Amino acid sequence: MTKPNIAPPPLRNDCFALPAGVNWTPVDDALALLRQRLTVVKGAETLRLEQATGRILAEDVISKRSNPPLPNTAVDGYGFAGAAPEGPQVMPLHPGRAAAGIPFDGTVPDGHALRVLTGAALPAGVDTVILEEDVTVQEDHIAFHGPLKQGANTRRAGEDVAEGDPVLPARRRLTPADLALLSATGLAEVPVRQTLRVAVLSTGDELVEPGEPAGPGQIFDANRPMLLSLIARMGFQPVDMGRVEDNRDALRARLNRAAEQADVILTSGGASAGDEDHVSALLRQAGAMQEWRIALKPGRPLALGMWDGTPVFGLPGNPVAAMVCTLIFTRPALGLMAGEGWQAPQGFDLPAAFEKRKKPGRREYLRARVRDGRAEVFASEGSGRISGLSWAEGLVEIEDGARHIKPGDMVRFIPYGSFGL
Ligand code: AMP
Ligand code: MG
């Protein structure tokens, strides 16, 4: 049954409201709120398999054909009926052979063997195969040593997947291996979500485009190239909305355009409560802004709001904080809106190669990498050190409470790859 392609209703204006009276929201509470409030915003389309890699299934997919479709031989050898007992065996060789795609039409008489090649459907009268390396062939007989179990070296029809079985569930992001599975089970096209479009916009009077002349006090826009490529790597469609100076009218116009062209807007800079923080000011004016003060380092307040029905993630301007906030908060939120469900990044515990004392009260993410089975962290925790982001291959996550980590103590490492990068 084909379903009509209807996008779900837009998110509500109050979807980022925070509980009253909480000063610093713990990371887990912030994640739970996002998970509870956000829903899928994209409709479905049908794509041929070769276009579907990296896309998200919109429905459960059911096998149209068993894999393997027929019982077949797993090896090159000789097929016959039933188990062979202990001891030397001699069998007459039946004329003909069965190969992959070229079945043997007749029936192999009981006590006779037929030449079979890997992948060939088992002919009538064959349910067991002896490996060719274990056989001597002389004139029109074969000889080998028993015992051999009935069914040896064969594959049952549907032993991998049976027709009508579930193959992959809705919300699955399709991998190359999934395409093999879908093909093998008779599926040529799949229902997938339309790709979530994510607008990226930089704000700040100090920013110039990489490659342009930069005056004193100016810096190159580092966030936009980073965020656009993060979005693409995570499997969403980046929409480059450029840079805007700290000017409310210009920013308003750009947000209007972004809301037309994308499903979600990411801004960086201008998200705090200062004079030049126009992202938060405009969202507040629109009556749909929440300042999320999350207890994490590195981080600054996130401005979460709705602009013309489109969710806006107002990220901190500092590139280190912008990337960490994107990985920890924005990525699972985008996944939910895109239809892949809530994807928590998978980390693992391994010994630290460093020492660190941490005070209680907030969660910390350190720029880290693994060498010789131990987690190393970047020499400086300075949040302006973009070189550390680039040096790192993931994050060490340190829980909210106090901790004194000594070399060899176990720490949680989350590779960048676990965030879909
Ligand atoms: P803001 O959040 O606008 O107060 O910015 C915080 C810090 O991040 C300031 O030092 C900004 O200059 C810097 N910053 C803001 N946007 C960017 C950007 N796109 N690339 C590099 N640095 C930025
Ligand atoms: Mg700024």
Side-chain angles (χ1 to χ4, degrees), residues 202-204 206-207 219-224 246 268-272 276-277 300 315-319 386:
S202 288
T203 71
E206 72 278 31
L207 301 179
I219 58 171
F220 297 113
D221 180 358
N223 287 343
R224 210 165 91 249
D246 288 318
S268 72
S272 302
E276 296 298 338
D277 289 323
R300 298 281 307 151
L315 298 163
N318 178 305
I386 306 177

Side-chain angles (χ1 to χ4, degrees), residues 60-67 161-168 181-182 184-187:
D60 296 345
V61 173
I62 305 300
S63 167
K64 286 192 169 167
R65 194 181 197 220
S66 293
N67 181 49
V161 182
E163 183 184 329
D165 275 358
V167 179
L168 290 168
L181 178 60
L182 291 164
T185 50
L187 292 140

Side-chain angles (χ1 to χ4, degrees), residues 75 77-89 91 113 126-132 134-135 142-154:
V75 297
Y78 296 86
F80 46 85
E86 174 96 43
Q89 309 292 322
M91 280 182 192
V126 172
D127 61 11
T128 304
V129 174
I130 176 92
L131 209 63
E132 70 178 16
D134 296 340
V135 170
I142 63 166
F144 62 92
H145 288 287
L148 197 66
K149 277 194 206 136
Q150 185 169 34
N153 298 312
T154 66

Side-chain angles (χ1 to χ4, degrees), residues 34-396:
L34 288 175
R35 182 173 189 172
Q36 184 191 320
R37 303 285 177 74
L38 296 173
T39 53
V40 58
V41 297
K42 298 303 287 189
E45 61 183 329
T46 298
L47 286 187
R48 291 196 51 82
L49 280 193
E50 59 270 24
Q51 296 164 323
T53 186
R55 300 293 294 268
I56 299 163
L57 282 181
E59 292 169 34
D60 296 345
V61 173
I62 305 300
S63 167
K64 286 192 169 167
R65 194 181 197 220
S66 293
N67 181 49
L70 292 172
N72 67 20
T73 169
V75 297
D76 290 346
Y78 296 86
F80 46 85
E86 174 96 43
Q89 309 292 322
V90 177
M91 280 182 192
L93 196 53
H94 194 71
R97 62 168 213 174
I102 311 168
F104 178 80
D105 265 349
T107 299
V108 178
D110 202 29
H112 292 234
L114 181 79
R115 174 73 170 142
V116 294
L117 299 178
T118 305
L122 297 182
V126 172
D127 61 11
T128 304
V129 174
I130 176 92
L131 209 63
E132 70 178 16
E133 289 88 331
D134 296 340
V135 170
T136 38
V137 187
Q138 216 173 60
E139 288 154 26
D140 46 7
H141 282 75
I142 63 166
F144 62 92
H145 288 287
L148 197 66
K149 277 194 206 136
Q150 185 169 34
N153 298 312
T154 66
R155 306 179 183 125
R156 280 180 294 108
E159 72 173 23
D160 183 23
V161 182
E163 183 184 329
D165 275 358
V167 179
L168 290 168
R171 293 187 290 280
R172 168 84 175 180
R173 202 183 268 280
L174 295 174
T175 66
D178 292 343
L179 299 195
L181 178 60
L182 291 164
S183 291
T185 50
L187 292 140
E189 47 184 37
V190 278
V192 293
R193 292 279 169 200
Q194 288 161 348
T195 304
L196 189 77
R197 299 162 304 169
V198 184
V200 173
L201 173 58
S202 288
T203 71
D205 285 337
E206 72 278 31
L207 301 179
V208 289
E209 201 66 9
E212 281 178 4
Q218 294 191 304
I219 58 171
F220 297 113
D221 180 358
N223 287 343
R224 210 165 91 249
M226 173 179 76
L227 292 170
L228 287 167
S229 83
L230 281 171
I231 295 305
R233 283 278 185 101
M234 290 169 179
F236 311 112
Q237 186 187 319
V239 182
D240 186 355
M241 298 305 301
R243 267 180 309 110
V244 202
E245 59 273 35
D246 288 318
N247 170 306
R248 220 160 274 193
D249 291 332
L251 183 58
R252 186 183 291 114
R254 199 69 65 92
L255 286 172
N256 286 341
R257 258 176 48 210
E260 274 168 24
Q261 294 179 20
D263 305 300
V264 188
I265 304 169
L266 306 190
T267 64
S268 72
S272 302
D275 295 348
E276 296 298 338
D277 289 323
H278 300 291
V279 174
S280 47
L282 279 175
L283 289 173
R284 193 170 284 117
Q285 267 177 19
M289 135 91 187
Q290 289 286 328
E291 184 183 51
W292 283 41
R293 295 201 291 161
I294 304 169
L296 95 156
K297 183 186 171 190
R300 298 281 307 151
L302 285 183
L304 297 190
M306 298 295 284
W307 187 263
D308 213 2
T310 305
V312 180
F313 284 75
L315 298 163
N318 178 305
V320 176
M323 175 148 162
V324 169
C325 287
T326 300
L327 296 181
I328 303 299
F329 300 107
T330 313
R331 186 241 175 198
L334 295 178
L336 258 190
M337 290 186 268
E340 65 178 334
W342 186 264
Q343 300 290 327
Q346 297 297 307
F348 49 90
D349 293 338
L350 76 184
F354 60 93
E355 172 158 12
K356 179 180 166 66
R357 282 175 198 276
K358 175 185 170 298
K359 296 200 191 97
R362 60 181 178 172
R363 187 162 306 176
E364 282 197 32
Y365 292 95
L366 307 178
R367 285 151 277 175
R369 63 182 197 182
V370 178
R371 289 292 179 274
D372 301 324
R374 287 150 61 97
E376 301 177 345
V377 295
F378 191 59
S380 163
E381 287 185 19
S383 64
R385 303 290 190 99
I386 306 177
S387 56
L389 276 182
S390 160
W391 171 91
E393 294 165 5
L395 301 173
V396 158

